[in-house]
Amino acid sequence: MVIWFLFGAMCMLVVLLMLAYVKFVSLNKAAARAWQQLDNNMKNRAELIPSLALSAAAFSELDRPFIYELSNLKEACRKTSTLQERVRLESEITQKFKKVFTAAMHHPELKNDEHFLKLQKSIIHAEGKVQSSKKKYNSAARDFNTITAVIPLNLIAKMFEFEPYEYFDFDPSLNKVIEYILY
């Protein structure tokens, strides 16, 4: 009788361990997919930088080093190896976009420039996608991190070497400039 009880308890423990592992794997994959989507959206946004740099060259408020720096940020984002560095670079890109849009507000002739308006809409759309995927990634990371912090699941996470995800957060201040431009 005791042997059957121990056997049943061991089977239950194995099943619970398997269920916990499956949950970890599914949340880990969800976070990885969300990161891939965020990364792709940031890369698509970065593809707009050369066009923006050309447009920015027309503004007397923006000097040549600013334009080169804007172009170099795209390459720096590709080469970065840490999330903290990527967050810093993406934040710089957002600040550069903000500076260009702010400078553009002082040039009323741009309100009729079809190329600039198209570029502006593309950047606004790309920025919206980045912000949306950032929220999805941070949500998936939060879900995964929460389950890895709960006792006794944290022991299982350590056993299978699941590491918590870092959050991706950068200043969405471009939204305020965009709202000003649009309204």
Side-chain angles (χ1 to χ4, degrees):
M1 184 77 161
V2 172
I3 293 175
W4 285 108
F5 177 75
L6 289 175
F7 179 72
M10 289 298 287
C11 286
M12 183 74 89
L13 186 61
V14 168
V15 167
L16 289 175
L17 184 64
M18 287 176 23
L19 289 174
Y21 180 76
V22 167
K23 185 68 171 176
F24 280 120
V25 169
S26 69
L27 288 174
N28 191 34
K29 284 187 178 188
R33 275 192 310 272
W35 169 254
Q36 189 63 43
Q37 183 181 14
L38 174 58
D39 188 49
N40 287 339
N41 285 332
M42 288 185 299
K43 286 176 182 173
N44 289 340
R45 179 180 77 157
E47 291 303 316
L48 298 171
I49 289 175
S51 297
L52 185 66
L54 287 174
S55 293
F59 303 138
S60 57
E61 298 89 355
L62 305 175
D63 54 2
R64 225 182 239 306
F66 172 83
I67 296 166
Y68 288 131
E69 189 177 337
L70 181 62
S71 297
N72 290 336
L73 283 172
K74 178 181 172 184
E75 191 60 32
C77 282
R78 284 187 185 155
K79 293 180 179 179
T80 187
S81 59
T82 66
L83 185 61
Q84 294 88 2
E85 183 65 12
R86 180 77 180 267
V87 168
R88 187 186 68 73
L89 293 169
E90 293 293 341
S91 181
E92 281 187 49
I93 289 173
T94 299
Q95 293 306 317
K96 300 292 183 204
F97 283 176
K98 180 180 174 185
K99 189 172 181 178
V100 171
F101 284 149
T102 303
M105 285 190 274
H106 301 297
H107 293 270
E109 70 274 7
L110 289 175
K111 296 208 183 268
N112 298 325
D113 185 338
E114 218 173 291
H115 173 72
F116 185 78
L117 292 175
K118 203 172 184 181
L119 177 63
Q120 190 176 17
K121 285 180 184 176
S122 296
I123 291 172
I124 291 169
H125 182 68
E127 188 68 25
K129 281 185 160 185
V130 167
Q131 293 299 326
S132 175
S133 20
K134 182 183 77 166
K135 287 177 187 174
K136 287 178 185 175
Y137 167 76
N138 283 339
S139 177
R142 183 199 62 232
D143 292 346
F144 182 81
N145 292 348
T146 300
I147 198 168
T148 59
V150 174
I151 297 174
L153 296 175
N154 63 343
L155 300 172
I156 297 169
K158 286 180 184 175
M159 184 170 63
F160 290 109
E161 299 179 355
F162 286 112
E163 295 293 324
Y165 282 87
E166 294 181 52
Y167 294 104
F168 194 98
D169 195 24
F170 62 91
D171 181 23
S173 61
L174 184 60
N175 292 341
K176 293 174 187 162
V177 176
I178 290 169
E179 287 172 10
Y180 180 80
I181 291 168
L182 294 177
Y183 303 108

